Amino acid sequence: MKLLRYGFAGQEKPGMLDSEGNIRDLSGVFEDISGAVLGDDRLEALRALDPDKLPLVSGNSRIGPCVGHVGKFVCIGLNYADHAAESGMKLPEEPIVFFKATSAICGPNDAVEIPRTSVKTDWEVELGVVIGKTAKYVSEEDALNHVAGYCVVNDLSERDFQMHRSGQWVKGKSADTFGPIGPWLVTRDEVPDPQNLAMWLEVNGHRYQDGSTRTMHFSVATVISHLSQFMSLHPGDIIATGTPPGVGMGQSPATYLKPGDVMELGVEGLGRQRLVTVAG
């Protein structure tokens, strides 16, 4: 099942993708796609609906972030061995954890703003995990039962802010529009193995990232279990699980985004994003 949110920014309505790729309106069923409707019981009730009996959304509506009212946007750093190597950093003994401000979240085809003083805005395609059931002190064996579904995340980063402006990575990760998510939330029953998904990213038609979740250092289950030892994960929280090699910082010479660039990216089975950069 593919869930999405459509409409003007800040006024998104809930929707479902039918078997023909059409958007069906869910606003008569519930108010929004957020933590309150991501538990197994609510998702099972949604699966029982006949999409053909839901109102068809006509026209080319904007696709918004696939989850609304996100409580936490948690990210994992250096989680792919080959990406750590291109960054000149050692693989961590435990997951590196940082946060993006939820105000960075935007839709999968929205304009991405390059911050006014940016000199090193970079891209990162990632597998996003959407929590569906509160996770606190969960085991790796039980961790995936707390997942509602998965989505595409672009963990945009300003490397100069991140590395050289003192403090935590959050400075380089949280600019407005630095967190495109979607186009849709794919429920976990349609993703039997999150550790076997191809992922890619292109800038202006050139493929920079071409990887797979197979090369994750810490698996999705390990990440969820680890995080749950330090904080409760709540329905609607999003985890960005790290990026494969091919980021701009790792190119020779390093290559960064400028206004007018077009990013296209996707994760197998989870859809794709198309993002044009603009000056902030």
Side-chain angles (χ1 to χ4, degrees):
M1 185 165 56
K2 295 178 175 66
L3 303 176
L4 56 91
R5 301 168 70 246
Y6 69 95
F8 295 112
Q11 303 175 41
E12 292 93 349
K13 296 180 180 181
M16 173 191 293
L17 210 65
D18 68 19
S19 60
E20 301 297 321
N22 301 309
I23 299 174
R24 299 285 177 164
D25 179 44
L26 285 172
S27 57
V29 181
F30 50 71
E31 187 172 323
D32 201 358
I33 295 172
S34 61
V37 302
L38 294 177
D40 287 346
D41 290 348
R42 297 297 299 273
L43 292 179
E44 195 59 39
L46 274 181
R47 289 189 194 94
L49 296 176
D50 181 354
D52 292 339
K53 294 183 179 178
L54 295 170
L56 180 66
V57 177
S58 58
N60 295 314
S61 293
R62 168 186 173 269
I63 303 298
C66 58
V67 182
H69 311 289
V70 174
K72 291 191 288 294
F73 198 165
V74 191
C75 302
I76 306 299
L78 298 178
N79 198 27
Y80 285 71
D82 30 16
H83 172 55
E86 74 171 351
S87 302
M89 300 180 185
K90 293 182 179 179
L91 281 171
E93 295 183 5
E94 291 189 2
I96 293 174
V97 180
F98 62 94
F99 289 81
K100 290 177 87 79
T102 55
S103 55
I105 292 173
C106 68
N109 303 306
D110 289 348
V112 166
E113 297 179 12
I114 296 179
R116 292 181 182 179
T117 57
S118 169
V119 292
K120 296 180 179 179
T121 294
D122 205 347
W123 56 81
E124 296 186 21
V125 61
E126 306 202 5
L127 171 66
V129 178
V130 182
I131 297 298
K133 181 172 69 173
T134 299
K136 183 175 182 178
Y137 299 120
V138 300
S139 66
E140 288 189 32
E141 293 74 20
D142 187 42
L144 296 186
N145 292 324
H146 295 259
V147 174
Y150 301 91
C151 66
V152 181
V153 171
N154 189 351
D155 175 22
L156 285 140
S157 311
E158 211 298 335
R159 302 299 188 188
D160 188 59
F161 297 178
Q162 178 185 356
M163 305 294 186
H164 303 128
R165 297 292 294 271
S166 301
Q168 300 178 353
W169 286 3
V170 67
K171 284 184 180 179
K173 298 285 188 172
S174 293
D176 291 351
T177 73
F178 266 29
I181 61 172
W184 43 73
L185 185 164
V186 180
T187 52
R188 75 171 189 268
D189 57 298
E190 293 194 11
V191 187
D193 185 2
Q195 303 308 145
N196 189 29
L197 301 174
M199 54 206 308
W200 57 276
L201 181 143
E202 297 177 352
V203 179
N204 300 328
H206 178 80
R207 182 157 295 200
Y208 284 96
Q209 292 188 276
D210 199 355
S212 170
T213 58
R214 290 193 304 271
T215 66
M216 273 189 189
H217 183 44
F218 300 108
S219 70
V220 172
T222 298
V223 165
I224 293 171
S225 176
H226 180 79
L227 290 173
S228 78
Q229 311 306 309
F230 300 96
M231 67 192 83
S232 294
L233 299 172
H234 295 123
D237 287 350
I238 295 175
I239 305 169
T241 56
T243 197
V247 299
M249 179 175 62
Q251 305 303 306
S252 183
T255 302
Y256 296 110
L257 294 164
K258 60 187 184 303
D261 285 340
V262 178
M263 288 176 285
E264 295 184 86
L265 59 144
V267 178
E268 182 180 355
L270 305 184
R272 60 191 293 160
Q273 301 182 358
R274 186 181 188 277
L275 304 149
V276 179
T277 58
V278 298

Short mmCIF file of all heavy atoms in Angstrom, two decimals, residues 130-162:
data_model
loop_
_atom_site.label_atom_id
_atom_site.label_comp_id
_atom_site.label_asym_id
_atom_site.label_seq_id
_atom_site.Cartn_x
_atom_site.Cartn_y
_atom_site.Cartn_z
N VAL A 130 9.74 4.87 8.56
CA VAL A 130 8.68 5.57 9.26
C VAL A 130 8.16 4.68 10.38
O VAL A 130 7.72 3.55 10.14
CB VAL A 130 7.52 5.95 8.31
CG1 VAL A 130 6.45 6.73 9.07
CG2 VAL A 130 8.04 6.75 7.13
N ILE A 131 8.25 5.17 11.61
CA ILE A 131 7.83 4.38 12.77
C ILE A 131 6.30 4.34 12.86
O ILE A 131 5.63 5.35 12.64
CB ILE A 131 8.42 4.98 14.06
CG1 ILE A 131 9.96 4.90 14.02
CG2 ILE A 131 7.89 4.25 15.30
CD1 ILE A 131 10.53 3.50 13.95
N GLY A 132 5.76 3.15 13.18
CA GLY A 132 4.32 2.99 13.29
C GLY A 132 3.84 2.63 14.69
O GLY A 132 2.67 2.82 15.01
N LYS A 133 4.77 2.12 15.51
CA LYS A 133 4.42 1.73 16.88
C LYS A 133 5.55 2.15 17.80
O LYS A 133 6.73 1.98 17.46
CB LYS A 133 4.21 0.21 16.95
CG LYS A 133 3.83 -0.31 18.33
CD LYS A 133 3.44 -1.79 18.29
CE LYS A 133 4.62 -2.69 18.00
NZ LYS A 133 4.27 -4.13 18.14
N THR A 134 5.21 2.70 18.95
CA THR A 134 6.23 3.19 19.88
C THR A 134 7.28 2.12 20.15
O THR A 134 6.96 0.97 20.45
CB THR A 134 5.59 3.64 21.20
OG1 THR A 134 4.68 4.72 20.93
CG2 THR A 134 6.64 4.11 22.19
N ALA A 135 8.54 2.52 20.03
CA ALA A 135 9.67 1.61 20.25
C ALA A 135 10.50 2.12 21.41
O ALA A 135 11.04 3.23 21.36
CB ALA A 135 10.52 1.51 18.99
N LYS A 136 10.59 1.32 22.45
CA LYS A 136 11.40 1.66 23.62
C LYS A 136 12.05 0.38 24.13
O LYS A 136 11.36 -0.58 24.46
CB LYS A 136 10.53 2.30 24.71
CG LYS A 136 11.31 2.76 25.93
CD LYS A 136 10.40 3.49 26.92
CE LYS A 136 11.18 4.00 28.11
NZ LYS A 136 10.32 4.76 29.06
N TYR A 137 13.37 0.35 24.13
CA TYR A 137 14.14 -0.83 24.54
C TYR A 137 13.72 -2.07 23.75
O TYR A 137 13.49 -3.13 24.33
CB TYR A 137 13.99 -1.08 26.04
CG TYR A 137 14.50 0.05 26.91
CD1 TYR A 137 13.64 0.71 27.79
CD2 TYR A 137 15.82 0.47 26.84
CE1 TYR A 137 14.10 1.76 28.58
CE2 TYR A 137 16.28 1.52 27.64
CZ TYR A 137 15.43 2.15 28.50
OH TYR A 137 15.88 3.18 29.28
N VAL A 138 13.62 -1.95 22.44
CA VAL A 138 13.21 -3.11 21.63
C VAL A 138 14.45 -3.88 21.18
O VAL A 138 15.54 -3.33 21.03
CB VAL A 138 12.36 -2.69 20.41
CG1 VAL A 138 11.11 -1.97 20.84
CG2 VAL A 138 13.17 -1.84 19.44
N SER A 139 14.25 -5.16 20.95
CA SER A 139 15.33 -6.01 20.45
C SER A 139 15.44 -5.88 18.94
O SER A 139 14.50 -5.42 18.27
CB SER A 139 15.05 -7.47 20.81
OG SER A 139 13.89 -7.93 20.12
N GLU A 140 16.58 -6.30 18.40
CA GLU A 140 16.73 -6.31 16.94
C GLU A 140 15.69 -7.24 16.31
O GLU A 140 15.17 -6.95 15.23
CB GLU A 140 18.14 -6.73 16.55
CG GLU A 140 19.19 -5.68 16.84
CD GLU A 140 20.54 -6.04 16.23
OE1 GLU A 140 20.56 -6.69 15.17
OE2 GLU A 140 21.57 -5.66 16.84
N GLU A 141 15.40 -8.35 16.98
CA GLU A 141 14.46 -9.33 16.44
C GLU A 141 13.06 -8.76 16.31
O GLU A 141 12.30 -9.13 15.41
CB GLU A 141 14.43 -10.59 17.32
CG GLU A 141 15.72 -11.40 17.31
CD GLU A 141 16.86 -10.75 18.10
OE1 GLU A 141 16.59 -9.88 18.96
OE2 GLU A 141 18.03 -11.11 17.83
N ASP A 142 12.71 -7.84 17.19
CA ASP A 142 11.35 -7.27 17.19
C ASP A 142 11.29 -5.90 16.51
O ASP A 142 10.20 -5.37 16.31
CB ASP A 142 10.87 -7.15 18.64
CG ASP A 142 9.41 -6.73 18.77
OD1 ASP A 142 8.58 -7.26 17.98
OD2 ASP A 142 9.11 -5.88 19.62
N ALA A 143 12.44 -5.35 16.14
CA ALA A 143 12.50 -3.95 15.72
C ALA A 143 11.62 -3.65 14.51
O ALA A 143 10.91 -2.63 14.48
CB ALA A 143 13.94 -3.56 15.42
N LEU A 144 11.63 -4.50 13.49
CA LEU A 144 10.89 -4.19 12.27
C LEU A 144 9.38 -4.23 12.47
O LEU A 144 8.64 -3.67 11.65
CB LEU A 144 11.29 -5.14 11.14
CG LEU A 144 12.75 -5.05 10.67
CD1 LEU A 144 12.98 -5.94 9.46
CD2 LEU A 144 13.15 -3.60 10.35
N ASN A 145 8.92 -4.86 13.54
CA ASN A 145 7.49 -4.84 13.85
C ASN A 145 7.01 -3.46 14.28
O ASN A 145 5.80 -3.23 14.38
CB ASN A 145 7.17 -5.86 14.95
CG ASN A 145 7.36 -7.29 14.49
OD1 ASN A 145 7.09 -7.61 13.33
ND2 ASN A 145 7.83 -8.14 15.37
N HIS A 146 7.94 -2.56 14.53
CA HIS A 146 7.60 -1.20 14.93
C HIS A 146 7.61 -0.24 13.75
O HIS A 146 7.43 0.97 13.93
CB HIS A 146 8.56 -0.72 16.02
CG HIS A 146 8.45 -1.50 17.29
ND1 HIS A 146 7.76 -1.03 18.39
CD2 HIS A 146 8.90 -2.73 17.63
CE1 HIS A 146 7.80 -1.95 19.36
NE2 HIS A 146 8.50 -2.98 18.92
N VAL A 147 7.82 -0.77 12.55
CA VAL A 147 7.89 0.05 11.34
C VAL A 147 6.53 0.10 10.66
O VAL A 147 5.90 -0.94 10.44
CB VAL A 147 8.95 -0.53 10.37
CG1 VAL A 147 8.92 0.22 9.04
CG2 VAL A 147 10.33 -0.46 11.00
N ALA A 148 6.08 1.30 10.30
CA ALA A 148 4.87 1.44 9.48
C ALA A 148 5.20 1.23 8.01
O ALA A 148 4.47 0.57 7.28
CB ALA A 148 4.23 2.80 9.70
N GLY A 149 6.32 1.81 7.58
CA GLY A 149 6.69 1.70 6.18
C GLY A 149 7.98 2.43 5.89
O GLY A 149 8.71 2.85 6.81
N TYR A 150 8.24 2.59 4.61
CA TYR A 150 9.52 3.14 4.15
C TYR A 150 9.27 4.23 3.11
O TYR A 150 8.23 4.25 2.44
CB TYR A 150 10.38 2.04 3.56
CG TYR A 150 10.67 0.92 4.53
CD1 TYR A 150 9.83 -0.20 4.61
CD2 TYR A 150 11.77 0.97 5.38
CE1 TYR A 150 10.08 -1.22 5.51
CE2 TYR A 150 12.03 -0.06 6.28
CZ TYR A 150 11.18 -1.15 6.34
OH TYR A 150 11.43 -2.17 7.23
N CYS A 151 10.26 5.11 2.93
CA CYS A 151 10.14 6.19 1.95
C CYS A 151 11.52 6.61 1.48
O CYS A 151 12.55 6.25 2.08
CB CYS A 151 9.38 7.38 2.53
SG CYS A 151 10.23 8.22 3.90
N VAL A 152 11.55 7.39 0.42
CA VAL A 152 12.78 7.99 -0.08
C VAL A 152 13.07 9.26 0.73
O VAL A 152 12.16 10.06 0.99
CB VAL A 152 12.67 8.35 -1.57
CG1 VAL A 152 13.98 8.96 -2.08
CG2 VAL A 152 12.29 7.13 -2.41
N VAL A 153 14.33 9.44 1.11
CA VAL A 153 14.78 10.66 1.79
C VAL A 153 15.99 11.20 1.04
O VAL A 153 16.87 10.44 0.64
CB VAL A 153 15.17 10.38 3.26
CG1 VAL A 153 15.83 11.62 3.88
CG2 VAL A 153 13.96 9.97 4.08
N ASN A 154 16.04 12.50 0.85
CA ASN A 154 17.26 13.17 0.39
C ASN A 154 17.78 13.97 1.57
O ASN A 154 17.21 14.99 1.95
CB ASN A 154 16.97 14.08 -0.81
CG ASN A 154 18.24 14.62 -1.46
OD1 ASN A 154 19.33 14.46 -0.93
ND2 ASN A 154 18.08 15.27 -2.61
N ASP A 155 18.86 13.48 2.17
CA ASP A 155 19.45 14.13 3.34
C ASP A 155 20.44 15.20 2.86
O ASP A 155 21.65 15.02 2.91
CB ASP A 155 20.15 13.09 4.22
CG ASP A 155 20.89 13.72 5.40
OD1 ASP A 155 20.54 14.85 5.78
OD2 ASP A 155 21.82 13.06 5.94
N LEU A 156 19.89 16.31 2.39
CA LEU A 156 20.74 17.40 1.90
C LEU A 156 21.60 17.95 3.03
O LEU A 156 21.19 18.01 4.19
CB LEU A 156 19.88 18.49 1.29
CG LEU A 156 19.33 18.12 -0.09
CD1 LEU A 156 17.91 18.58 -0.26
CD2 LEU A 156 20.22 18.65 -1.19
N SER A 157 22.81 18.35 2.67
CA SER A 157 23.80 18.74 3.66
C SER A 157 24.62 19.93 3.15
O SER A 157 25.01 19.94 1.99
CB SER A 157 24.77 17.58 3.94
OG SER A 157 24.08 16.37 4.19
N GLU A 158 24.89 20.89 4.03
CA GLU A 158 25.84 21.93 3.70
C GLU A 158 27.13 21.56 4.44
O GLU A 158 27.21 21.68 5.66
CB GLU A 158 25.33 23.30 4.13
CG GLU A 158 25.79 24.45 3.25
CD GLU A 158 27.29 24.67 3.21
OE1 GLU A 158 27.99 24.28 4.18
OE2 GLU A 158 27.79 25.27 2.26
N ARG A 159 28.13 21.09 3.69
CA ARG A 159 29.31 20.49 4.31
C ARG A 159 30.15 21.50 5.09
O ARG A 159 30.75 21.14 6.11
CB ARG A 159 30.18 19.81 3.24
CG ARG A 159 29.46 18.75 2.44
CD ARG A 159 28.98 17.60 3.29
NE ARG A 159 28.47 16.52 2.45
CZ ARG A 159 27.84 15.44 2.93
NH1 ARG A 159 27.62 15.31 4.24
NH2 ARG A 159 27.41 14.49 2.12
N ASP A 160 30.21 22.74 4.61
CA ASP A 160 30.99 23.73 5.36
C ASP A 160 30.33 24.02 6.70
O ASP A 160 31.00 24.09 7.73
CB ASP A 160 31.13 25.01 4.53
CG ASP A 160 32.09 25.99 5.17
OD1 ASP A 160 33.27 25.64 5.36
OD2 ASP A 160 31.66 27.13 5.48
N PHE A 161 28.99 24.17 6.69
CA PHE A 161 28.27 24.37 7.95
C PHE A 161 28.46 23.14 8.86
O PHE A 161 28.63 23.27 10.07
CB PHE A 161 26.78 24.55 7.70
CG PHE A 161 26.38 25.75 6.89
CD1 PHE A 161 25.05 25.96 6.59
CD2 PHE A 161 27.32 26.67 6.43
CE1 PHE A 161 24.66 27.07 5.84
CE2 PHE A 161 26.93 27.77 5.69
CZ PHE A 161 25.59 27.97 5.39
N GLN A 162 28.39 21.96 8.26
CA GLN A 162 28.44 20.71 9.02
C GLN A 162 29.79 20.49 9.68
O GLN A 162 29.87 20.09 10.85
CB GLN A 162 28.14 19.54 8.08
CG GLN A 162 28.21 18.17 8.73
CD GLN A 162 28.02 17.04 7.71
OE1 GLN A 162 27.77 17.29 6.54
NE2 GLN A 162 28.14 15.82 8.18
#
